[in-house]
Each structure stands twice: as C-alpha cells, then as structure tokens.
C-alpha cells in the first residue's frame, strides 16, 4: 500500500500530465493494485449511469456508455459514505442483484466521488472472476484516498471550465460590442489594450502592450489638454470616473473619434491610484452623423430664414398701409399670416 500511495502522489504531482491522462493513470493503478480487470470513473445523473473514463480503454466498455443506474452495483455504493466491496457475488446474496444477473460481475470495489458536497458519481473496480483474497481495511482506505483526489481534480477542472467559459463569453461580448478594453498600470506607465484597439487603428487584431506616453501621443493636439485634465481628476478621486471623447491618429494617418471611459480600480493605502481600466468605443460614425446633421440643420435654417425674414417684412409694410388703406377683412388675414410667420421663426430658432 505504501508503494501505491507513492505512485498516487506521483500521478497527482506529474507536471506534464493533463486531466484525462491522470484519470487513466489512476484507473490503471487501481486495477493493478486491487487485481481487477476493469476500472471506471462514473458520473451519475438521476437514474442514469455514465461511463466517464474506463481502463483498459480498449476493453468491452467504452467511455461515453450509459446504463440504467439500477443495473449497476454503484446504485448501492451511492447509498453510503463508505466503500462497498465483495469478492464473490455468485456465492453471496449479491447473486440476486440485477447487475450480477445482467453482467455476471463477481468482484467489485467502489466508492462514491464527491465534488465539493455534491455526489458526482463513483470510482469502481470490478472483475468477472472471484477474488481469492478478501478486501482489507487498507484497500478500502486507499480507495477513499483515490476518490478524494478524484473529487478535488474534478472540482478544479470544473472551476477551470467556468473560468474559460466566462472568458469566452467576455470575449464574445467584447467582439459583439466593438469595445476595446484597456488596463493601465499607473505606477509603471504600461497600458494593455485588447485586440479591438489594434483593429480600430487599422492594424491586425491582436492585444497591444504600450506606454501611457506613447498612447497619449496618438491623441489629436486639440484634444490632449482636455483629456489629460479629465484623467487627472479621476486619478485624484475628484470625479468617480473618467469620461472623454477625443480623436486618435490611426496607422494610415487618419483621425478617428474615440469615446473613452475609465475608473480607478486599485489604490494604495495612501489613496494613490495604482490601476485604472475601462473600455474605448469607436464613435467615428456617430460623430460623422452629428456633423452631417448639424450641416443640414444649418443649411435648412439659412435657406428658410432668408425668405421668411422678407415675408415678415413685407407683411408688416402692407399692414402699415404702405400700399394704401387695408380693409378690415384683409387685415385679419394679414394678422394670421404674421402670427404664422412668427411661429416659423421661433421653430427655426429652436432648431
């Protein structure tokens, strides 16, 4: 048993082995140590028994196979925190179990695997021939040690999968939103920007590491003072967040508009900013649309204001009698026209 424990530690500490390789090595160790033909890591969901891994892999049972839980000895294993084992099912009450009637497995040793406090499945070893020697307390303790390692490895794999999936979802969100995330180490001056930033500048999409000084040089000269003042205010804590709209120079020499948000995410004990991060958004098209709208409004306002001024002046002259006496009925119409022209003037001023 001491040699088996040392080998278990070697498997768990092997730096070059992935999760699947470790599981196969552990199952091989178990089948060899307990003198069994088959070792299985199972996952149980409801009343279904899933074979997650099996040794030997080229045996009669393949990974991915499924069985009704009631047709396995593991349905009994799951009922107890202690290992279940027997050496000769055909010569014991186990001969009436559905698993024995279906598969004729004579020898079995298994224990449940916990991931955290959740029952994941079982680690079990079996053979179709009786075992001459009885399972010892040391055998059962070693199996429990194997299940503890397996549970911890499965929990770590689940955490890694959750982290990876979270990163993938964040990446999809970034790509879908078009935002370029940035992270500034204030002390060193180093700035990390996600791949959307290099694409925004017209380069091949890839993460960028640069300096705050180099990044500031990309900002349009007319926008630098205002942007720097907003950053200083955020670093000092005078405002809760940094917000700015400014132009940056692309690789081709063109200017694009950026909407930049940021927040200090880490300070030292004296309150000095250590890290600041946030997203950059390309608002070039929005700025272009705003410019076109302003030009359109300016043109329409000028084209309407000139003739309207002439109309109002003419109405005033006529109402003043410059063309002769104005009949009362005509005066009422002139009043209506004058009020409507005044209303149009106010509308143009509002625009």
């Amino acid at each position: 048993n001491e040699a088996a424990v040392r080998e278990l530690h070697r498997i768990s500490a092997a730096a070059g082995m992935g999760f699947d390789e470790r599981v196969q090595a552990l199952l091989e160790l178990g089948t060899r140590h307990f003198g069994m033909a088959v070792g299985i890591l199972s996952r149980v969901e409801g009343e279904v028994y899933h074979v997650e891994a099996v040794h030997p892999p080229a045996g009669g049972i393949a990974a991915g196979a499924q069985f009704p839980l009631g047709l396995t000895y593991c349905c009994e294993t799951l009922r107890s925190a202690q290992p279940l084992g027997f050496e000769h099912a055909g010569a014991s009450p186990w001969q009436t179990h559905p698993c024995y009637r279906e598969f004729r497995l004579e020898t079995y040793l298994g224990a449940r695997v916990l991931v955290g406090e959740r029952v994941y499945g079982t680690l079990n070893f079996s053979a179709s021939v009786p075992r001459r020697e009885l399972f010892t307390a040391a055998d059962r303790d070693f199996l429990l040690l194997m299940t503890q390692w397996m549970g911890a490895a499965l929990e770590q794999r689940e955490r890694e999968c959750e982290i990876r999936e979270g990163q993938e979802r964040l990446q999809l969100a970034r790509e879908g939103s078009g935002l370029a995330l940035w992270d500034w180490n204030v002390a060193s001056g180093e700035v990390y920007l996600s791949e959307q930033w290099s694409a925004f500048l017209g380069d091949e999409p890839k993460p960028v590491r640069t300096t705050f000084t180099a990044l500031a040089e990309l900002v349009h000269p007319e926008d630098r003072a205002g942007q720097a003042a907003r950053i200083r205010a955020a670093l000092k804590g005078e405002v809760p967040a940094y917000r700015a709209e400014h132009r940056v120079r692309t690789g081709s020499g063109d200017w694009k508009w950026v909407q930049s948000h940021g927040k200090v995410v880490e300070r030292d004990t004296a309150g000095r900013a250590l890290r600041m991060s946030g997203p950059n958004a390309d608002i070039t098209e929005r700025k272009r649309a705003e410019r076109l709208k302003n030009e359109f409004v300016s043109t329409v306002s000028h084209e309407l204001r000139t003739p309207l001024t002439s109309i109002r002046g003419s109405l005033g002259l006529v109402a003043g009698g410059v063309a002769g006496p104005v009949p009362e009925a005509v005066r009422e119409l002139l009043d209506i026209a004058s009020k409507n022209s005044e209303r149009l003037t106010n509308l143009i001023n509002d625009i």
Side-chain angles (χ1 to χ4, degrees):
N1 277 336
E2 290 181 6
V5 170
R6 284 197 299 270
E7 187 166 355
L8 176 60
H9 285 309
R10 181 190 63 79
I11 293 170
S12 63
M17 296 177 70
F19 175 80
D20 293 338
E21 292 177 285
R22 292 175 194 268
V23 171
Q24 277 298 321
L26 183 138
L27 291 174
E28 190 278 330
L29 169 62
T31 54
R32 177 163 38 87
H33 178 73
F34 297 124
M36 299 290 205
V38 178
I40 293 176
L41 169 65
S42 75
R43 173 173 53 88
V44 176
E45 292 184 351
E47 295 300 315
V48 181
Y49 175 96
H50 301 263
V51 178
E52 289 292 290
V54 59
H55 181 81
I61 301 175
Q66 299 179 14
F67 302 95
L69 180 61
L71 284 182
T72 70
Y73 292 134
C74 291
C75 68
E76 313 301 334
T77 304
L78 294 174
R79 301 180 194 276
S80 173
Q82 298 301 315
L84 170 67
F86 45 84
E87 298 78 14
H88 191 176
S92 72
W94 289 104
Q95 65 180 311
T96 62
H97 196 277
C99 182
Y100 184 78
R101 292 200 300 264
E102 182 74 20
F103 302 108
R104 293 294 173 180
L105 293 178
E106 293 286 357
T107 310
Y108 174 88
L109 180 65
R112 66 184 189 178
V113 175
L114 300 179
V115 175
E117 297 182 357
R118 169 174 56 90
V119 176
Y120 178 87
T122 66
L123 182 64
N124 63 88
F125 301 90
S126 59
S128 58
V129 296
R131 192 173 192 268
R132 294 180 180 179
E133 298 178 354
L134 298 179
F135 291 116
T136 65
D139 290 330
R140 297 172 189 271
D141 288 343
F142 182 60
L143 178 60
L144 285 177
L145 184 63
M146 295 174 76
T147 60
Q148 289 168 7
W149 177 88
M150 185 66 72
L154 285 166
E155 187 172 13
Q156 181 180 354
R157 185 181 68 164
E158 288 184 0
R159 281 201 220 100
E160 290 173 351
C161 287
E162 289 173 359
I163 292 171
R164 184 170 60 252
E165 290 171 359
Q167 291 173 337
E168 290 171 355
R169 285 192 292 269
L170 179 60
Q171 178 69 13
L172 290 172
R174 284 207 308 256
E175 292 174 355
S177 65
L179 296 177
L181 301 185
W182 55 270
D183 189 17
W184 174 25
N185 184 322
V186 180
S188 69
E190 184 181 62
V191 182
Y192 165 85
L193 299 110
S194 65
E195 57 271 23
Q196 282 77 14
W197 177 254
S198 54
F200 172 64
L201 296 182
D203 299 326
E204 178 186 354
K206 60 182 179 180
V208 174
R209 290 190 181 276
T210 184
T211 64
F212 178 80
T213 302
L215 203 58
E217 290 176 355
L218 296 177
V219 177
H220 195 285
E222 296 177 1
D223 302 334
R224 288 178 186 173
Q227 184 213 24
R230 291 182 176 89
I231 290 177
R232 283 195 300 270
L235 291 176
K236 293 178 180 178
E238 297 172 356
V239 293
Y242 154 71
R243 304 182 193 282
E245 293 183 359
H246 56 82
R247 290 160 288 181
V248 296
R249 187 177 63 252
T250 67
S252 62
D254 297 328
W255 295 99
K256 283 192 171 184
W257 278 95
V258 171
Q259 183 181 69
S260 185
H261 291 175
K263 190 173 184 179
V264 175
V265 295
E266 185 177 354
R267 295 184 183 274
D268 63 15
T269 55
R272 290 184 292 265
L274 298 177
R275 282 183 58 231
M276 189 174 182
S277 62
N280 285 334
D282 181 358
I283 58 169
T284 305
E285 287 304 313
R286 195 196 83 189
K287 286 291 187 179
R288 178 175 172 274
E290 289 176 354
R291 179 177 57 80
L292 292 175
K293 183 192 75 172
N294 292 336
E295 290 175 355
F296 172 76
V297 170
S298 177
T299 300
V300 169
S301 175
H302 178 269
E303 293 299 324
L304 289 177
R305 193 184 301 278
T306 300
L308 188 56
T309 300
S310 176
I311 291 171
R312 291 180 63 194
S314 298
L315 288 172
L317 290 173
V318 173
V322 72
V326 180
E328 189 62 31
V330 174
R331 185 174 295 281
E332 291 180 3
L333 294 175
L334 290 174
D335 288 342
I336 293 173
S338 179
K339 290 177 181 178
N340 285 333
S341 65
E342 183 70 26
R343 190 178 303 165
L344 284 173
T345 300
N346 292 336
L347 179 61
I348 292 171
N349 290 337
D350 290 341
I351 293 175

